[in-house]
Amino acid sequence: MKKVLLLLVLCSGLVYGQSPYSYGGESEQDRIAREHQSGGMYDPGRSSSSGKGGYRVPTVWGAIAIDTKTFKASAWANSKKSQKDAEQQAINICKKDSKTCKTVVTYTWNNCGAVAASKATDIWVAETRQLRADTDAAALKSCNSKARSSGVVEDCVLWVPAKCALFKGS
């Protein structure tokens, strides 16, 4: 009898139409909208200091800036509080070596950005993915494909290997 009662209590959220990942009766659509508006992600598996659950993982940003005219400078910024902060820091660092830097890729929490380029031409490609190795591979593959379609036979190289925006909080 105790096992049946426990099972009913555990499943009560499902009986009333709640997702097992919802919090306080919040629908999945409401959770996604709230996360988007707050600039963070909601993790129902972690509890807050109030004990009510729902630790908010803040969104962090990264950006890569390169000199697309001379290909002599590149820089990146990671784990910034906003996209604008990440872009500005990357550009500021890049501009120490070149005046023609621009942001070519931005990425957010738990994602990476990489830039691959052809040494023989002005072809370059920026890619984002979740894993470092996947990001590097995607950048190289895209750049090589772009180079081949332009008649370039030399392989591209990683100009800026994967840089990732990771949350560094506790």
Side-chain angles (χ1 to χ4, degrees), residues 23 42-57 170:
Y23 172 68
Y42 184 72
D43 184 350
R46 297 181 82 174
S47 59
S48 66
S49 59
S50 67
K52 294 182 180 177
Y55 179 79
R56 182 181 163 282
V57 179
S170 57

Side-chain angles (χ1 to χ4, degrees), residues 2-164:
K2 288 182 182 179
K3 290 181 182 177
V4 172
L5 184 57
L6 180 61
L7 182 61
L8 285 174
V9 169
L10 290 174
C11 295
S12 65
L14 297 174
V15 172
Y16 292 104
Q18 280 186 324
S19 160
Y21 300 107
S22 65
Y23 172 68
E26 181 180 51
S27 73
E28 187 71 7
Q29 291 82 7
D30 289 342
R31 180 189 62 80
I32 291 168
R34 181 179 41 74
E35 286 176 2
H36 179 72
Q37 290 171 355
S38 67
M41 293 177 53
Y42 184 72
D43 184 350
R46 297 181 82 174
S47 59
S48 66
S49 59
S50 67
K52 294 182 180 177
Y55 179 79
R56 182 181 163 282
V57 179
T59 300
V60 293
W61 288 88
I64 298 174
I66 63 173
D67 177 344
T68 57
K69 294 189 192 252
T70 66
F71 293 92
K72 293 186 181 189
S74 63
W76 56 90
N78 285 321
S79 303
K80 298 299 170 191
K81 291 183 180 182
S82 72
Q83 181 178 1
K84 182 180 176 182
D85 288 347
E87 290 176 357
Q88 193 59 56
Q89 183 176 358
I91 287 172
N92 288 344
I93 295 168
C94 185
K95 283 191 173 181
K96 290 178 181 178
D97 295 320
S98 171
K99 299 298 179 206
T100 57
C101 292
K102 71 176 189 175
T103 302
V104 294
V105 65
T106 58
Y107 42 94
T108 190
W109 184 73
N110 262 4
N111 282 287
C112 306
V115 179
S118 167
K119 290 182 176 180
T121 67
D122 60 356
I123 293 172
W124 60 270
V125 173
E127 289 283 345
T128 63
R129 298 284 186 280
Q130 272 197 315
L131 301 174
R132 251 179 233 280
D134 291 348
T135 307
D136 287 344
L140 284 169
K141 183 177 180 180
S142 295
C143 185
N144 284 328
S145 176
K146 190 174 180 180
R148 299 292 180 273
S149 67
S150 299
V152 177
V153 294
E154 182 182 325
D155 282 342
C156 293
V157 296
L158 282 174
W159 186 11
V160 181
K163 306 299 176 196
C164 305

